[in-house]
Amino acid sequence: MNRIVFVFLLVTMSALFCGCWDRVEIDDLELVIGDAHDLADYAGKTGVQTTFQIANPQAMVSGLGASAGGGAGGEGGGNGGGTFWVVSERGETIRDSVSKMNNRIPKQLFLGHERVAVFGEKAARSGLTPFFDRLTRSRESRDTKFIAVSKGNAGRILELESPVSQSTTQALNTIFEDKDGWEGILSVNMADFLYRLSTGITSPVAPLVEVVPQTSMTTKEKKEGMVNTIALTGLAIFDTQAKLVDTFNERETMGLMWVINRAKNRVLTIPHVAGGKAEPISLNLTIAKSKIKVDIEDNGLPVFEIKMQIEFDLLEHFSKHQEVIGVGLIADLEKTASTQVINEIEAVLKKSQELGTDVFGFGEEVRRQQHRDWPQYKEHWQDIFPIVNVAIQCETQIHNRELSVEPPGSRTEGEWHQ
Amino acid sequence: MEPGKISERQLAFLITAMLVNTVILLMPQLGARAVEQDAWLTALLGSVWGIFMVLVIIALARRYPGRTPIEYLPLILGKPLGKILGAIYVFWFLSVGAVIVFEFISFLKITIMPKTPLAVFMVTIMVLAYYALRSGLESWARVNEILLFVVLVAIAAVIILPYHNLDFSRLLPLAEHPPGLLIASSMVSGSWRGEVILAGMLIPALARNKHTSRNLIIVVVLVGLFLAAMEISTVAAFGGVPAGQKEFPFFSLARMISIAKIFDRLEVLIVIALVLGTFFKICAFLYCSTLGTAQIFGFKRFQFLLLPLTVLMIGLALNSFKGMPELTDFAANVWPGYALLSFELVIPLLLYLIVLFRSRQVRKS
């Protein structure tokens, strides 16, 4: 008897409790892969415009790329043969605008796969804080989601097709995931941004994405007239209220990445004077470490010391004047590289002090290292930051020279090296 | 009255399962909201309260071997007063059990299955608890011995796996908040740690009672370390303020796990830990309230009381709170007073003082 009851319970329970009321078939879902948020006029007031990039799973999985299908839908959506289509709506809140999309889209919108949120310039200038509520409250989106700020309208970024990936947000996501710390690429996910925002002293930053003319085109594409694509062009700088203040260019972004320990992969090209002519040498970053030390000066102001320790490998010597990459040359190069790094850091330091945005987290370093003195700076940090003194030290080491000892063609047979 | 016997290890495991669970839902939020990056210190300090409670409850149990608190209350306070206080204690077991049930089902509803009616979660977990309790203390204590391992591994995985998102400098400066505030907010986590007093009801069912106090103190301290690690991980991932702005920070932490693009979307780990652990927690509270009721009225058996009390717990759970805002408010403001400052520490301590005073008078006369 007991065994029969047990089997009966087991069968009925396993049949009944598979997802309960929330069971959803994947065929019934529209998978949103990226979203863009803009400010727009709505019913006479300032509302939001939400744009979704929605995957077309069949085309996306086959990996044909946007160029094969062509014709992604414009506003309002329309299922073309492309890898994705786009839908855009306006409303008072983000959820309000999303709910209006239901009038046009047959399947349920599913936001669990959105990887990148792009914010328009206008929205960023007015402050991003209200936009984050939907993103953190929703049980579908994650804090690891990447954010970016677009120059101009964010919806435009999503409407573009990408020649190098299935879609623009897919391309952005892959860049942010795999190339974080490369050159001037600084990926910022929601948790990072919101942490910086929550300190009230450190300025949040987000990568800047821009529509640029396309350079990777086949002849066929040139005929069809696909001329634009997207690229990361620097960093958007916010104030402590999450309002966009200004942007950093690529060089300034790289300067910032040295200081905040985010530089991972970098080709640094430095001039090397040989035979009376400056010739470029490229170095490849292997390890970069920075430390910020805080002291309090006699006049009561904090003074900072940034200590960089960087290791490079020599990557390329683009030169007519041939020369063995030896110990003496490397010592010279190390000095030049240090100067270059210090220059980059000074450039970004100057700009951020002019803007009054503490992107380095100097205020937090004071709070951590000079804990007792912090309360007296806390209220006035916006006024103190632009006038603090920062000393930069850089120690560079060049370890290896890859597979060549000296460049080919530098000497001929019988010519002994001096 | 309880025919089954459990070993000391089973008791320790059972208490561990109780102390580790449901705390992971609300405590990270409340701790981070009160003292931001120092939340993990309050988790550690909570263990100090826990140790006090273990000492008091064990000292009382030594005075009245083989009896549960419900049985020795009339011996300490006299029959009418003792029975009334016993009844209040039984209600406490029942109501805290109802809070746990509500917490559990709202978590599932908010995070995993928003469209499913609460009744479904309620019925599944309560039918299971009823079935387990009917099979006897011995059987579910043994099941816990097997499943506790799964619970702990799942929680530990969520603490460790988001390692590439953790920035430990977010925990600095250390102990920025004044000690008074730290101790005050440690009462919230101490109240959860104080659920260890349920051991008092289970001690008479022990086959051997030699290392119980040592075991329980070790359990309380280890659970404190475990929960401190949880707070450290949560705050390092989000920062002190954003962690306090989330409804279930630890769940959000689990959602951040993404290793090599393969191990993704592992929030199910939390659900595994929660479903398995909360089941034993509900069992323990339901068991104590049933056993207590039978002992107040002097019944020989308690099994027939199981069904009505299960139904009562469901009723209490469904009607105590409207939703998470009310529950969070309760946990932050009422819970320490309802638990640590009354039923968990202060009342047992007063009882022990009365016992001490009495025995001294007896010795004098």
Side-chain angles (χ1 to χ4, degrees):
Chain A
M1 182 59 203
N2 252 343
R3 194 162 292 175
I4 295 168
V5 170
F6 177 73
V7 170
F8 175 75
L9 276 178
L10 201 69
V11 171
T12 47
M13 278 193 170
S14 54
L16 286 174
F17 298 132
C18 47
C20 296
W21 278 249
D22 294 275
R23 179 198 59 86
V24 191
E25 298 294 330
I26 197 157
D27 288 349
D28 300 335
L29 294 176
E30 290 288 13
L31 303 177
V32 177
I33 48 176
D35 49 348
H37 305 281
D38 285 299
L39 281 186
D41 292 330
Y42 175 72
K45 281 183 292 184
T46 316
V48 295
Q49 173 150 24
T50 311
T51 312
F52 282 154
Q53 207 171 48
I54 296 169
N56 181 4
Q58 278 171 325
M60 201 150 247
V61 171
S62 66
L64 286 172
S67 53
E75 186 165 319
N79 208 337
T83 46
F84 67 91
W85 52 283
V86 178
V87 60
S88 186
E89 267 292 359
R90 292 179 182 191
E92 276 184 85
T93 65
I94 300 176
R95 283 292 189 194
D96 187 29
S97 58
V98 173
S99 71
K100 291 203 177 73
M101 293 175 187
N102 286 322
N103 300 339
R104 310 177 177 192
I105 301 174
K107 297 177 182 177
Q108 289 177 40
L109 284 170
F110 180 67
L111 303 169
H113 287 277
E114 42 174 12
R115 297 286 180 76
V116 182
V118 187
F119 298 96
E121 196 177 349
K122 214 170 130 197
R125 289 216 186 270
S126 84
L128 284 186
T129 319
F131 289 92
F132 280 114
D133 191 78
R134 201 291 280 164
L135 297 174
T136 48
R137 203 178 291 275
S138 164
R139 64 187 196 93
E140 282 174 358
S141 54
R142 274 143 216 278
D143 291 290
T144 44
K145 180 174 166 166
F146 295 113
I147 59 173
V149 173
S150 74
K151 258 199 178 149
N153 206 334
R156 205 165 121 66
I157 305 284
L158 266 59
E159 285 159 14
L160 273 178
E161 286 175 20
S162 171
V164 289
S165 176
Q166 285 100 324
S167 80
T168 44
T169 49
Q170 204 77 350
L172 280 177
N173 178 50
T174 313
I175 290 177
F176 287 147
E177 234 170 39
D178 297 347
K179 292 191 175 172
D180 176 31
W182 288 32
E183 308 297 320
I185 301 169
L186 180 70
S187 356
V188 174
N189 63 24
M190 236 160 53
D192 291 341
F193 192 93
L194 293 178
Y195 171 70
R196 280 180 162 236
L197 191 59
S198 77
T199 58
I201 38 178
T202 310
S203 287
V205 293
L208 190 68
V209 55
E210 211 175 327
V211 178
V212 294
Q214 189 171 306
T215 51
S216 55
M217 281 186 12
T218 60
T219 326
K220 191 181 154 223
E221 281 167 351
K222 272 181 188 157
K223 257 184 216 159
E224 283 170 357
M226 255 176 75
V227 284
N228 284 336
T229 184
I230 53 154
L232 296 177
T233 52
L235 213 57
I237 309 302
F238 294 82
D239 66 5
T240 48
Q241 271 86 44
K243 286 181 185 162
L244 180 67
V245 182
D246 205 345
T247 57
F248 282 173
N249 62 25
E250 220 167 319
R251 181 162 180 262
E252 287 155 351
T253 309
M254 292 192 278
L256 172 65
M257 282 161 70
W258 291 126
V259 183
I260 58 174
N261 260 325
R262 290 288 291 273
K264 278 184 206 152
N265 200 339
R266 172 78 196 275
V267 174
L268 184 79
T269 303
I270 54 173
H272 164 56
V273 182
K277 243 178 96 183
E279 285 172 332
I281 285 184
S282 283
L283 304 174
N284 188 24
L285 174 69
T286 49
I287 299 171
K289 274 184 203 156
S290 87
K291 244 186 195 166
I292 302 173
K293 216 176 142 245
V294 187
D295 277 314
I296 305 291
E297 261 183 341
D298 296 337
N299 62 5
L301 281 180
V303 56
F304 297 88
E305 196 182 347
I306 303 173
K307 274 190 182 165
M308 298 287 315
Q309 274 189 321
I310 311 180
E311 289 175 17
F312 286 109
D313 279 346
L314 195 133
L315 201 61
E316 186 179 353
H317 186 193
F318 191 81
S319 156
K320 285 179 196 156
H321 178 92
Q322 311 294 1
E323 186 172 5
V324 174
I325 309 292
V327 181
L329 176 62
I330 280 178
D332 279 353
L333 292 178
E334 281 171 351
K335 269 179 213 154
T336 326
S338 293
T339 328
Q340 186 110 339
V341 170
I342 289 172
N343 284 344
E344 279 178 7
I345 296 176
E346 269 170 357
V348 67
L349 188 68
K350 191 166 160 251
K351 178 143 184 185
S352 59
Q353 285 194 325
E354 275 167 14
L355 295 172
T357 50
D358 180 6
V359 286
F360 307 97
F362 281 162
E364 272 182 276
E365 288 300 330
V366 181
R367 182 177 161 218
R368 282 166 191 162
Q369 295 182 22
Q370 305 289 337
H371 180 211
R372 297 240 171 90
D373 297 314
W374 173 240
Q376 54 178 350
Y377 299 120
K378 196 179 171 187
E379 299 300 317
H380 316 288
W381 186 247
Q382 300 302 329
D383 308 321
I384 297 171
F385 174 70
I387 51 168
V388 293
N389 283 323
V390 182
I392 308 164
Q393 276 184 16
C394 183
E395 201 179 289
T396 308
Q397 290 187 337
I398 297 172
H399 284 241
N400 293 315
R401 53 192 171 192
E402 297 223 305
L403 299 185
S404 290
V405 178
E406 53 186 325
S410 61
R411 65 187 158 93
T412 46
E413 273 178 66
E415 188 183 329
W416 297 101
H417 183 71
Q418 323 280 299
Chain B
M1 180 170 286
E2 170 58 53
K5 288 279 169 206
I6 56 173
S7 72
E8 284 180 319
R9 194 178 65 174
Q10 281 165 344
L11 177 70
F13 278 23
L14 203 56
I15 299 295
T16 314
M18 276 175 46
L19 297 191
V20 160
N21 256 284
T22 65
V23 184
I24 58 176
L25 296 183
L26 279 182
M27 202 184 79
Q29 187 214 117
L30 297 177
R33 206 137 44 104
V35 289
E36 296 168 7
Q37 80 276 21
D38 293 332
W40 64 280
L41 283 173
T42 67
L44 281 185
L45 286 174
S47 289
V48 179
W49 297 106
I51 292 171
F52 273 128
M53 292 174 226
V54 172
L55 292 177
V56 171
I57 203 78
I58 293 290
L60 277 170
R62 287 239 170 87
R63 297 259 164 177
Y64 301 97
R67 287 173 204 269
T68 68
I70 306 295
E71 282 172 320
Y72 58 67
L73 269 173
L75 299 179
I76 299 173
L77 295 172
K79 209 162 189 190
L81 209 58
K83 290 273 180 193
I84 291 170
L85 191 59
I88 296 174
Y89 254 103
V90 167
F91 177 75
W92 187 81
F93 292 142
L94 201 65
S95 62
V96 174
V99 174
I100 291 160
V101 173
F102 182 79
E103 206 174 335
F104 170 72
I105 59 177
S106 345
F107 172 79
L108 288 182
K109 189 174 169 69
I110 290 170
T111 56
I112 320 245
M113 305 180 187
K115 286 175 198 151
T116 308
L118 286 179
V120 174
F121 309 121
M122 181 72 91
V123 167
T124 33
I125 195 82
M126 293 311 278
V127 163
L128 203 58
Y130 172 76
Y131 176 68
L133 289 187
R134 239 194 42 159
S135 317
L137 171 65
E138 218 166 300
S139 57
W140 54 273
R142 270 188 201 170
V143 176
N144 178 57
E145 241 179 327
I146 303 163
L147 291 183
L148 179 66
F149 179 68
V150 181
V151 174
L152 294 182
V153 167
I155 297 177
V158 177
I159 293 173
I160 296 163
L161 289 183
Y163 61 91
H164 55 283
N165 287 312
L166 304 185
D167 177 0
F168 291 103
S169 66
R170 289 173 188 174
L171 292 160
L172 297 171
L174 196 67
E176 193 187 24
H177 300 81
L181 183 62
L182 286 178
I183 291 169
S185 46
S186 78
M187 280 186 187
V188 178
S189 96
S191 296
W192 270 300
R193 214 63 45 78
E195 283 164 357
V196 72
I197 65 153
L198 259 70
M201 294 291 288
L202 299 170
I203 284 171
L206 283 175
R208 272 174 72 227
N209 182 3
K210 221 175 167 186
H211 304 297
T212 313
S213 59
R214 185 200 69 183
N215 284 359
L216 290 182
I217 287 172
I218 290 174
V219 162
V220 165
V221 170
L222 286 184
V223 167
L225 290 173
F226 200 59
L227 296 180
M230 175 192 77
E231 296 270 23
I232 286 175
S233 197
T234 314
V235 170
F238 300 115
V241 176
Q245 286 169 337
K246 294 180 188 307
E247 188 83 276
F248 305 115
F250 197 51
F251 180 72
S252 297
L253 181 69
R255 291 161 68 84
M256 291 189 84
I257 300 173
S258 169
I259 296 170
K261 297 182 189 174
I262 300 169
F263 293 105
D264 236 343
R265 303 178 187 257
L266 288 183
E267 55 257 40
V268 69
L269 285 173
I270 297 261
V271 180
I272 290 172
L274 202 77
V275 171
L276 294 179
T278 312
F279 163 66
F280 292 106
K281 202 163 173 176
I282 293 170
C283 277
F285 276 92
L286 197 55
Y287 173 82
C288 290
S289 50
T290 321
L291 187 67
T293 314
Q295 285 172 344
I296 286 172
F297 294 108
F299 296 138
K300 288 261 153 51
R301 288 169 55 80
F302 67 91
Q303 279 78 358
F304 71 97
L305 286 167
L306 257 177
L307 189 60
L309 280 171
T310 311
V311 174
L312 202 56
M313 194 181 263
I314 293 178
L316 268 175
L318 284 178
N319 293 301
S320 318
F321 302 102
K322 264 192 298 195
M324 281 311 288
E326 278 191 357
L327 180 59
T328 318
D329 189 59
F330 168 82
N333 302 323
V334 183
W335 176 229
Y338 190 50
L340 184 83
L341 295 178
S342 52
F343 293 94
E344 284 175 354
L345 187 58
V346 174
I347 295 178
L349 197 62
L350 285 178
L351 288 176
Y352 186 60
L353 291 180
I354 292 171
V355 171
L356 276 185
F357 185 69
R358 280 258 187 85
S359 56
R360 189 163 296 173
Q361 271 190 332
V362 168
R363 221 173 285 157
K364 263 183 200 164
S365 64

